[in-house]
Amino acid sequence: MKMQFYFSVFLIVLAIFLSLRTLFIPQKLKGKHVSFENFFTFALIYATVMAGFGLLYYLLDLKGIWVLSDESMRPSTSSYERMSTSMYFSAITLFSVGYGDIAPVGVGRAIAVFEALVGYTIPAAFVTRAMLDQNRS
């Protein structure tokens, strides 16, 4: 069971990394100002990163590591409610600084800070990549 946990964490981190790597590969983004393909790529990167961090919070919670200070993250609540709280917290952290209804604790603070940093850099990297590709063409 321990090996399965570490393998899952590794796969999640790998998926996040590969998704973010897409921003830095010139062939993936076309040199157009606005296109459906670029918007779809941007949305998929955000969705992958959000789901990855959400699953990371959930897996740590399943392991018994308390990362979020919310009543729905207690072992007595359903697995579905704990997963939805993890995904909600991940989305709010990635897209903003949060609402304050759920706060990270312990190692969750470091993960949330990193996720917020990623959330702020994705649009900047996306715009930079589009501008660089436009200048090349």
Side-chain angles (χ1 to χ4, degrees):
M1 188 70 172
K2 194 176 210 179
M3 186 65 163
Q4 188 178 21
F5 169 77
Y6 291 118
F7 184 68
S8 297
V9 169
F10 172 76
L11 286 179
I12 291 167
V13 171
L14 181 66
I16 292 170
F17 172 76
L18 291 176
S19 181
L20 291 173
R21 189 177 139 255
T22 304
L23 288 172
F24 301 101
I25 299 174
Q27 296 82 8
K28 291 290 182 185
L29 299 176
K30 305 298 179 204
K32 302 174 188 170
H33 289 290
V34 177
S35 73
F36 179 75
E37 183 181 354
N38 284 351
F39 177 77
F40 189 69
T41 301
F42 188 59
L44 281 178
I45 290 170
Y46 259 123
T48 304
V49 171
M50 182 194 71
F53 277 102
L55 286 171
L56 194 57
Y57 295 127
Y58 180 70
L59 282 176
L60 289 170
D61 178 63
L62 283 180
K63 186 74 172 162
I65 301 169
W66 196 36
V67 291
L68 301 177
S69 66
D70 188 59
E71 293 300 317
S72 66
M73 296 303 283
R74 301 287 180 241
S76 60
T77 57
S78 72
S79 184
Y80 172 77
E81 190 173 351
R82 290 160 63 189
M83 172 65 92
S84 65
T85 300
S86 296
M87 289 298 172
Y88 165 78
F89 178 76
S90 178
I92 294 304
T93 302
L94 189 65
F95 296 123
S96 68
V97 293
Y99 290 129
D101 55 344
I102 303 171
V105 293
V107 71
R109 288 180 176 185
I111 297 169
V113 167
F114 183 70
E115 182 178 9
L117 177 66
V118 168
Y120 285 121
T121 58
I122 288 174
F126 189 77
V127 169
T128 302
R129 170 57 43 199
M131 296 311 259
L132 287 175
D133 288 348
Q134 181 184 5
N135 289 340
R136 286 185 193 154
S137 16

